[in-house]
Amino acid sequence: MKNPIFDIENWREIGATLARNKTRTFLTAFGIFWGTAMLAMLWGGAKGLEGMLMRNFSGFATNLGAVFPSRTTMPYKGYNKGMEWDLTINDIANIRRMTPGIDCSTTISGIWGKVNYATKSKNATAIGIESDYTRILVPVIYSGRLINQSDVASTRKVAVIGKNLADELFGDEPSVGKYISINGIYLLVIGVAGQTSEVQLYGRIDDSVLIPASTMFRAFRHTNDVEGFLYTAVKGKTPTDLQPYIRRAVLASHPIDPDDDGALWFMDISERFKMVETLFLGISLLALFVGAGSLMAGIIGVGNIMWIIVKERTQEIGIRRAIGAKPRDIIMQILSESVVLTTIAGIAGVCFATIVLGIADKITYDPVLGSAHFELHFRHAVFIVLTFMTLGTAAGTMPAIKAMRIKPVEAMRDK
Amino acid sequence: MRLLYRMAIRPVHHIMIIQLKDINKTYPGSVPLHVLKGINLDIERGELVSIMGASGSGKSTLLNIIGILDNYDTGSYTLDGIPIKGLNENRAAELRNRMIGFVFQSFNLISYKNAVENVALPLFYQGVSRRQRNRLAMEQLERMGLADRAHHLPGEMSGGQKQRVAIARALITKPSIILADEPTGALDSHTSREVMEVFRSLNAQGMTIVIVTHDPGVGAETNRIIRISDGIIMPDNA
């Protein structure tokens, strides 16, 4: 017995039937086309939205913790509550000594000052940092180099200036190797940098001046106090995991009640990221839900239209049965038609969605941040088409069985 | 394989092509309807026969049984030497395809297929290649004088042309008999005569033809009239 799948005659017959009934074919095909396109667009779109948000954090350590001193909220050892206190370089040394699991860390302090070059001046924040800072918030280097360990160790009077600042002070002139002054103190420009992420620590790098932390203390702050401490946890630990160690190290040298949670302000960026991740899990689930809905609607549409088609073709099927079509021939014909339609329309839908996603990607493309990845993975595309094919066939089964049951006598009945 | 099939279907040359013995058929329902009440009928090879009767006489049911479109309850039916009883759908379709050429009152052509494709359709279900079946279909259309209409859709043809296409379709499998159900019912008198002329000439070439009709004019053009009334065949002299 011939296998109908490998019989060219069958395919010719299906092709002819579909081609001769253009409206019907188009209506069925459009339902599937739209279903697959919706599903594919939602899938790729959710990915793109996530990409759009996540690219704002590109170059930013997602397991960042921050510690800042705050007024005490409880009286302790004769001190009133509301006492101000400062983190000192000693505290930082203690933290680093006593806390296991810190990956990279830097103190951070800033001053607001007037930056001068030649006759031009501009107000900007100068940020005192250590070399690990550039691993926490990875800058884009436009020219020169970044602050390194030896700059900090030797208290060099050097500065990395932000891209925007460099444009304003120097214009087209190269800035590396020139001297700028901040509040009257001269610093050698060693590099120009910017940032890709939207995260701001004391303002964007593009608008600030980065200088070694040691230079900041000696030239501008004249104290051993730091404003804050940034750190990242090693893989497998969160910044919050390290919090008790840091607390213990700090409280050892300050008259702060061990139960005073308000005196030391902690921030764990990874928790914010978890929130974002949860949000996008929600968006993905919603997309999946809506996509599955449109999929179901498409499939039911196919089933419905196949059902109507079978009703409409009762006479034709009756004629075919009378002149020798076996029940199997009829069922194969109806099913093959729905499979062919589903496959072609499904592939067209995925192609259409790919074009739409491509346009979305082009529109949201950012020269600095790059693509948001509005795209559909090939295996997801295959998955969508295969799902539609399977479900389309399933939806065609009931009408096909109904068609098979049509008695040839029906053809004799006049319409 | 196919050859064996043919041999099995057409074993010997039977003189009696249709033999119905005491056929009974009742349609079940709240009031069961006994439509055929012991039909006995023999039709010889090469006959041109008409079955006549009023509507509700059971002639359509009889046609359906002869055409293997319907089952009967008791009795026996032999078509060209093959007992037709309790066949499954596949076997029935196979026998219809190879042994019976149907011609219907409303032509029953497939509207989106042109004349050649309509005529060739029975061969599609025999697995004949497209080229081959289109060639054979063209031959049949030429025989019906419709070669110039070969690529027209049924909607573009007159009733007489449509019926001749339907006859060409009935002939293409070289069946044992042609069964025509009110073949002139939808045609005007002039065209009816033309179609009857076609049947007569086919009969002259040896084809067995059974026509079901209520039109006495059509009956008069056949060689034998079988009258059926209330589920029973009337004696010849009635």
Short mmCIF file of all heavy atoms in Angstrom, two decimals, chain B residues 21-26 34 36-39 65 71-77 85:
data_model
loop_
_atom_site.label_atom_id
_atom_site.label_comp_id
_atom_site.label_asym_id
_atom_site.label_seq_id
_atom_site.Cartn_x
_atom_site.Cartn_y
_atom_site.Cartn_z
N LYS B 21 -31.96 -11.22 -4.89
CA LYS B 21 -32.89 -12.28 -4.46
C LYS B 21 -33.51 -11.90 -3.13
O LYS B 21 -32.81 -11.78 -2.12
CB LYS B 21 -32.13 -13.61 -4.31
CG LYS B 21 -31.81 -14.27 -5.64
CD LYS B 21 -31.71 -15.80 -5.48
CE LYS B 21 -31.39 -16.47 -6.81
NZ LYS B 21 -29.97 -16.23 -7.22
N ASP B 22 -34.81 -11.68 -3.15
CA ASP B 22 -35.59 -11.46 -1.94
C ASP B 22 -34.97 -10.40 -1.01
O ASP B 22 -34.72 -10.65 0.16
CB ASP B 22 -35.75 -12.80 -1.19
CG ASP B 22 -36.86 -12.72 -0.15
OD1 ASP B 22 -37.77 -11.88 -0.33
OD2 ASP B 22 -36.77 -13.46 0.85
N ILE B 23 -34.70 -9.24 -1.61
CA ILE B 23 -34.05 -8.17 -0.84
C ILE B 23 -35.08 -7.47 0.03
O ILE B 23 -36.13 -7.03 -0.45
CB ILE B 23 -33.42 -7.12 -1.79
CG1 ILE B 23 -32.30 -7.75 -2.62
CG2 ILE B 23 -32.91 -5.90 -1.01
CD1 ILE B 23 -31.01 -8.00 -1.89
N ASN B 24 -34.77 -7.37 1.32
CA ASN B 24 -35.62 -6.63 2.25
C ASN B 24 -34.81 -5.53 2.91
O ASN B 24 -33.64 -5.71 3.24
CB ASN B 24 -36.16 -7.56 3.35
CG ASN B 24 -37.35 -8.34 2.85
OD1 ASN B 24 -38.46 -7.82 2.78
ND2 ASN B 24 -37.10 -9.59 2.45
N LYS B 25 -35.46 -4.39 3.08
CA LYS B 25 -34.77 -3.27 3.73
C LYS B 25 -35.77 -2.51 4.57
O LYS B 25 -36.84 -2.11 4.08
CB LYS B 25 -34.18 -2.34 2.66
CG LYS B 25 -33.63 -1.03 3.20
CD LYS B 25 -32.25 -1.22 3.78
CE LYS B 25 -31.69 0.09 4.33
NZ LYS B 25 -30.40 -0.10 4.99
N THR B 26 -35.44 -2.34 5.83
CA THR B 26 -36.30 -1.57 6.73
C THR B 26 -35.46 -0.45 7.33
O THR B 26 -34.34 -0.68 7.79
CB THR B 26 -36.83 -2.47 7.86
OG1 THR B 26 -37.49 -3.59 7.27
CG2 THR B 26 -37.80 -1.70 8.74
N HIS B 34 -40.65 -0.18 6.31
CA HIS B 34 -40.27 -1.32 5.47
C HIS B 34 -40.31 -0.88 4.02
O HIS B 34 -41.37 -0.84 3.40
CB HIS B 34 -41.26 -2.48 5.73
CG HIS B 34 -40.73 -3.80 5.26
ND1 HIS B 34 -41.46 -4.97 5.35
CD2 HIS B 34 -39.56 -4.14 4.71
CE1 HIS B 34 -40.75 -5.97 4.85
NE2 HIS B 34 -39.58 -5.48 4.46
N LEU B 36 -38.24 -1.90 1.16
CA LEU B 36 -38.15 -2.92 0.11
C LEU B 36 -38.68 -4.23 0.69
O LEU B 36 -38.21 -4.71 1.71
CB LEU B 36 -36.70 -3.08 -0.36
CG LEU B 36 -36.09 -1.86 -1.04
CD1 LEU B 36 -34.66 -2.17 -1.50
CD2 LEU B 36 -36.94 -1.38 -2.20
N LYS B 37 -39.67 -4.76 0.02
CA LYS B 37 -40.36 -5.94 0.57
C LYS B 37 -40.15 -7.15 -0.32
O LYS B 37 -41.06 -7.58 -1.02
CB LYS B 37 -41.86 -5.63 0.71
CG LYS B 37 -42.15 -4.43 1.60
CD LYS B 37 -43.58 -3.96 1.45
CE LYS B 37 -43.84 -2.73 2.31
NZ LYS B 37 -45.11 -2.10 1.97
N GLY B 38 -38.95 -7.65 -0.32
CA GLY B 38 -38.68 -8.86 -1.09
C GLY B 38 -38.52 -8.61 -2.57
O GLY B 38 -39.33 -9.03 -3.39
N ILE B 39 -37.45 -7.89 -2.93
CA ILE B 39 -37.19 -7.56 -4.33
C ILE B 39 -36.42 -8.71 -4.99
O ILE B 39 -35.40 -9.16 -4.48
CB ILE B 39 -36.36 -6.26 -4.45
CG1 ILE B 39 -37.11 -5.06 -3.87
CG2 ILE B 39 -35.90 -6.02 -5.89
CD1 ILE B 39 -38.17 -4.50 -4.78
N ILE B 65 -28.84 0.38 -2.99
CA ILE B 65 -28.36 -0.97 -2.70
C ILE B 65 -27.60 -1.52 -3.90
O ILE B 65 -26.50 -2.07 -3.75
CB ILE B 65 -29.54 -1.88 -2.29
CG1 ILE B 65 -30.00 -1.49 -0.88
CG2 ILE B 65 -29.11 -3.35 -2.33
CD1 ILE B 65 -31.29 -2.12 -0.45
N ASN B 71 -26.77 -0.64 2.72
CA ASN B 71 -26.87 -2.08 3.01
C ASN B 71 -28.32 -2.51 2.95
O ASN B 71 -29.23 -1.71 3.05
CB ASN B 71 -26.32 -2.37 4.41
CG ASN B 71 -24.84 -2.07 4.49
OD1 ASN B 71 -24.10 -2.36 3.55
ND2 ASN B 71 -24.41 -1.48 5.59
N TYR B 72 -28.49 -3.83 2.81
CA TYR B 72 -29.85 -4.39 2.91
C TYR B 72 -29.89 -5.34 4.08
O TYR B 72 -28.85 -5.76 4.60
CB TYR B 72 -30.24 -5.08 1.59
CG TYR B 72 -29.24 -6.11 1.10
CD1 TYR B 72 -29.39 -7.44 1.43
CD2 TYR B 72 -28.16 -5.72 0.31
CE1 TYR B 72 -28.48 -8.38 0.98
CE2 TYR B 72 -27.25 -6.66 -0.14
CZ TYR B 72 -27.40 -7.99 0.20
OH TYR B 72 -26.51 -8.91 -0.23
N ASP B 73 -31.10 -5.67 4.51
CA ASP B 73 -31.23 -6.48 5.73
C ASP B 73 -31.15 -7.97 5.43
O ASP B 73 -30.31 -8.68 5.97
CB ASP B 73 -32.55 -6.15 6.45
CG ASP B 73 -32.62 -4.68 6.83
OD1 ASP B 73 -31.54 -4.09 7.05
OD2 ASP B 73 -33.73 -4.13 6.89
N THR B 74 -32.04 -8.44 4.55
CA THR B 74 -32.00 -9.87 4.22
C THR B 74 -32.06 -10.03 2.70
O THR B 74 -32.43 -9.11 1.98
CB THR B 74 -33.21 -10.62 4.83
OG1 THR B 74 -34.42 -10.05 4.31
CG2 THR B 74 -33.21 -10.52 6.35
N GLY B 75 -31.71 -11.22 2.26
CA GLY B 75 -31.69 -11.51 0.84
C GLY B 75 -30.27 -11.65 0.34
O GLY B 75 -29.34 -11.76 1.16
N SER B 76 -30.08 -11.65 -0.97
CA SER B 76 -28.72 -11.71 -1.49
C SER B 76 -28.61 -10.87 -2.76
O SER B 76 -29.57 -10.72 -3.51
CB SER B 76 -28.32 -13.16 -1.76
OG SER B 76 -28.88 -13.60 -2.98
N TYR B 77 -27.44 -10.32 -2.94
CA TYR B 77 -27.18 -9.46 -4.09
C TYR B 77 -25.82 -9.86 -4.66
O TYR B 77 -24.83 -9.91 -3.95
CB TYR B 77 -27.19 -7.99 -3.64
CG TYR B 77 -26.65 -6.99 -4.67
CD1 TYR B 77 -26.77 -7.22 -6.05
CD2 TYR B 77 -26.05 -5.82 -4.26
CE1 TYR B 77 -26.29 -6.31 -6.96
CE2 TYR B 77 -25.56 -4.89 -5.16
CZ TYR B 77 -25.68 -5.14 -6.52
OH TYR B 77 -25.20 -4.24 -7.43
N LYS B 85 -22.40 -8.34 0.34
CA LYS B 85 -23.12 -8.50 1.62
C LYS B 85 -22.15 -8.17 2.76
O LYS B 85 -21.03 -8.67 2.79
CB LYS B 85 -23.62 -9.94 1.77
CG LYS B 85 -24.31 -10.25 3.09
CD LYS B 85 -25.75 -9.78 3.05
CE LYS B 85 -26.41 -9.90 4.42
NZ LYS B 85 -27.75 -9.31 4.46
#
